[in-house]
Amino acid sequence: MNHITDFQDNDIYNRPTKCPECGGVMVFKGCGEYRCEKCRYVAYDDYGKVRNYVEKHGGATAAQVADATGVKQKTIRTMLKESRLEIAEGSNSFMKCEMCGVKIRSGRVCPQCEVKYKKALEEKAREKNEKMMAGFGMERFGGEEGAKRFTRDKQ
Protein backbone atom coordinates (compact mmCIF):
# COMPACT_ATOMS: atom_id res chain seq x y z
CA MET A 1 0.00 0.00 0.00
CA ASN A 2 2.98 2.29 0.51
CA HIS A 3 3.81 2.35 -3.21
CA ILE A 4 0.39 3.89 -3.99
CA THR A 5 1.02 6.88 -1.75
CA ASP A 6 4.49 7.27 -3.28
CA PHE A 7 2.85 7.51 -6.71
CA GLN A 8 0.41 10.15 -5.48
CA ASP A 9 3.29 12.20 -4.05
CA ASN A 10 4.91 12.33 -7.51
CA ASP A 11 1.86 14.02 -9.06
CA ILE A 12 3.32 17.20 -10.55
CA TYR A 13 -0.07 18.68 -11.47
CA ASN A 14 -1.56 18.44 -7.95
CA ARG A 15 -4.70 16.61 -9.03
CA PRO A 16 -7.41 16.78 -6.34
CA THR A 17 -8.57 13.34 -5.22
CA LYS A 18 -10.48 14.19 -2.04
CA CYS A 19 -13.07 16.94 -1.73
CA PRO A 20 -11.98 19.70 0.69
CA GLU A 21 -15.65 20.43 1.54
CA CYS A 22 -17.13 17.00 2.35
CA GLY A 23 -14.30 14.48 1.92
CA GLY A 24 -15.95 12.83 -1.11
CA VAL A 25 -14.18 11.52 -4.19
CA MET A 26 -13.22 14.06 -6.87
CA VAL A 27 -14.02 12.88 -10.42
CA PHE A 28 -12.18 14.20 -13.48
CA LYS A 29 -14.48 16.11 -15.85
CA GLY A 30 -11.94 17.34 -18.43
CA CYS A 31 -9.59 20.29 -19.00
CA GLY A 32 -8.19 20.11 -15.46
CA GLU A 33 -11.62 20.27 -13.77
CA TYR A 34 -12.65 17.89 -10.99
CA ARG A 35 -16.09 17.63 -9.38
CA CYS A 36 -17.07 15.98 -6.08
CA GLU A 37 -19.45 13.03 -6.41
CA LYS A 38 -21.34 14.01 -3.24
CA CYS A 39 -21.56 17.80 -2.97
CA ARG A 40 -20.68 18.80 -6.58
CA TYR A 41 -17.79 21.03 -5.39
CA VAL A 42 -15.52 22.00 -8.31
CA ALA A 43 -11.74 22.12 -8.01
CA TYR A 44 -8.94 22.41 -10.56
CA ASP A 45 -5.54 20.80 -10.88
CA ASP A 46 -2.53 22.92 -11.87
CA TYR A 47 -3.26 22.52 -15.57
CA GLY A 48 -6.85 23.69 -15.08
CA LYS A 49 -5.73 26.73 -13.07
CA VAL A 50 -3.15 27.72 -15.71
CA ARG A 51 -5.52 27.10 -18.62
CA ASN A 52 -8.31 29.18 -17.05
CA TYR A 53 -5.92 32.06 -16.31
CA VAL A 54 -4.39 32.03 -19.81
CA GLU A 55 -7.85 32.00 -21.43
CA LYS A 56 -8.78 35.16 -19.52
CA HIS A 57 -5.35 36.85 -19.75
CA GLY A 58 -3.98 35.96 -23.17
CA GLY A 59 -0.30 36.71 -23.68
CA ALA A 60 0.62 36.50 -19.98
CA THR A 61 4.18 35.41 -19.22
CA ALA A 62 5.02 32.29 -17.26
CA ALA A 63 6.03 34.46 -14.28
CA GLN A 64 2.69 36.29 -14.31
CA VAL A 65 0.77 33.02 -14.58
CA ALA A 66 2.82 31.51 -11.73
CA ASP A 67 2.19 34.53 -9.48
CA ALA A 68 -1.55 34.58 -10.19
CA THR A 69 -2.23 30.83 -9.93
CA GLY A 70 0.38 29.61 -7.46
CA VAL A 71 1.62 27.02 -9.97
CA LYS A 72 5.41 26.72 -10.19
CA GLN A 73 7.13 28.02 -13.33
CA LYS A 74 8.84 24.63 -13.67
CA THR A 75 5.42 22.97 -13.92
CA ILE A 76 4.34 25.53 -16.54
CA ARG A 77 7.50 24.78 -18.58
CA THR A 78 6.68 21.06 -18.33
CA MET A 79 3.18 21.76 -19.69
CA LEU A 80 4.74 23.68 -22.60
CA LYS A 81 7.15 20.82 -23.34
CA GLU A 82 4.28 18.32 -23.24
CA SER A 83 2.38 20.55 -25.74
CA ARG A 84 -0.45 21.03 -23.27
CA LEU A 85 0.07 24.78 -23.53
CA GLU A 86 1.36 26.98 -26.32
CA ILE A 87 3.22 30.29 -26.23
CA ALA A 88 1.03 33.06 -27.66
CA GLU A 89 1.76 34.20 -31.18
CA GLY A 90 3.74 37.46 -31.28
CA SER A 91 5.17 36.87 -27.82
CA ASN A 92 8.78 37.82 -27.06
CA SER A 93 9.16 34.55 -25.18
CA PHE A 94 10.01 31.37 -27.02
CA MET A 95 11.41 27.88 -26.59
CA LYS A 96 14.10 26.22 -28.66
CA CYS A 97 13.96 22.93 -30.53
CA GLU A 98 16.12 20.46 -28.61
CA MET A 99 17.59 19.10 -31.86
CA CYS A 100 18.28 22.10 -34.12
CA GLY A 101 17.72 25.16 -31.89
CA VAL A 102 15.01 26.87 -33.98
CA LYS A 103 12.32 28.84 -32.10
CA ILE A 104 9.14 26.88 -31.27
CA ARG A 105 5.92 27.68 -29.40
CA SER A 106 5.35 24.33 -27.68
CA GLY A 107 6.72 20.80 -27.47
CA ARG A 108 10.33 19.66 -27.43
CA VAL A 109 11.24 19.66 -31.13
CA CYS A 110 10.20 21.53 -34.29
CA PRO A 111 7.98 19.80 -36.87
CA GLN A 112 10.91 19.21 -39.26
CA CYS A 113 13.04 17.51 -36.60
CA GLU A 114 10.04 15.48 -35.45
CA VAL A 115 9.68 14.04 -38.95
CA LYS A 116 13.42 13.25 -39.11
CA TYR A 117 13.30 11.63 -35.66
CA LYS A 118 10.29 9.45 -36.52
CA LYS A 119 11.91 8.33 -39.79
CA ALA A 120 15.08 7.40 -37.91
CA LEU A 121 13.04 5.39 -35.38
CA GLU A 122 11.18 3.59 -38.15
CA GLU A 123 14.46 2.72 -39.89
CA LYS A 124 15.93 1.37 -36.65
CA ALA A 125 12.81 -0.74 -36.05
CA ARG A 126 12.94 -2.05 -39.62
CA GLU A 127 16.63 -3.04 -39.25
CA LYS A 128 15.94 -4.71 -35.90
CA ASN A 129 13.01 -6.61 -37.39
CA GLU A 130 15.13 -7.82 -40.33
CA LYS A 131 17.86 -9.05 -37.94
CA MET A 132 15.31 -10.88 -35.81
CA MET A 133 13.69 -12.54 -38.83
CA ALA A 134 16.98 -13.84 -40.23
CA GLY A 135 16.95 -17.62 -40.12
CA PHE A 136 13.17 -17.92 -40.22
CA GLY A 137 12.77 -18.65 -43.91
CA MET A 138 13.61 -15.19 -45.13
CA GLU A 139 16.53 -16.34 -47.29
CA ARG A 140 16.24 -18.84 -50.13
CA PHE A 141 18.37 -21.96 -50.32
CA GLY A 142 20.49 -22.25 -53.45
CA GLY A 143 19.73 -25.55 -55.02
CA GLU A 144 17.93 -27.01 -57.93
CA GLU A 145 14.19 -26.75 -57.86
CA GLY A 146 12.66 -30.09 -56.93
CA ALA A 147 15.99 -31.63 -55.89
CA LYS A 148 16.16 -33.91 -52.86
CA ARG A 149 17.55 -32.33 -49.78
CA PHE A 150 18.34 -35.52 -47.94
CA THR A 151 19.37 -38.96 -49.10
CA ARG A 152 19.33 -42.13 -47.11
CA ASP A 153 22.47 -44.13 -46.78
CA LYS A 154 22.09 -47.49 -48.48
CA GLN A 155 23.05 -50.43 -46.29
Side-chain angles (χ1 to χ4, degrees):
M1 200 60 144
N2 195 14
H3 64 281
I4 292 174
T5 56
D6 291 342
F7 174 74
Q8 289 172 342
D9 291 341
N10 291 334
D11 182 17
I12 63 167
Y13 293 127
N14 297 316
R15 294 176 177 98
T17 55
K18 186 176 180 183
C19 178
E21 298 291 317
C22 70
V25 176
M26 299 296 282
V27 178
F28 180 70
K29 293 296 179 182
C31 295
E33 181 180 315
Y34 294 78
R35 187 170 290 139
C36 177
E37 287 181 326
K38 290 181 183 177
C39 70
R40 313 296 287 164
Y41 177 80
V42 176
Y44 294 94
D45 63 7
D46 287 348
Y47 171 71
K49 291 174 189 174
V50 170
R51 180 186 163 121
N52 289 339
Y53 184 82
V54 169
E55 283 179 354
K56 292 175 185 164
H57 305 92
T61 65
Q64 292 168 337
V65 174
D67 288 341
T69 61
V71 177
K72 297 177 186 174
Q73 284 191 40
K74 182 178 179 181
T75 305
I76 295 170
R77 280 192 301 274
T78 301
M79 290 179 202
L80 286 165
K81 286 185 177 184
E82 291 176 348
S83 296
R84 298 184 91 196
L85 296 175
E86 189 175 280
I87 295 173
E89 193 132 355
S91 174
N92 293 337
S93 302
F94 62 90
M95 295 170 47
K96 289 185 178 182
C97 171
E98 293 180 2
M99 293 178 76
C100 69
V102 72
K103 295 179 182 180
I104 56 175
R105 293 174 45 203
S106 70
R108 300 178 77 91
V109 294
C110 66
Q112 293 81 12
C113 289
E114 186 174 8
V115 169
K116 290 177 191 173
Y117 180 71
K118 285 184 179 180
K119 282 184 181 178
L121 281 180
E122 288 171 2
E123 185 61 33
K124 265 186 166 178
R126 192 174 296 112
E127 288 174 7
K128 185 178 178 183
N129 190 28
E130 287 173 3
K131 284 181 183 178
M132 288 175 48
M133 293 304 291
F136 288 100
M138 296 296 288
E139 62 273 340
R140 306 281 297 167
F141 293 104
E144 293 182 29
E145 190 68 31
K148 292 183 184 178
R149 289 193 186 177
F150 305 101
T151 58
R152 292 184 187 211
D153 292 334
K154 293 185 180 182
Q155 295 177 347

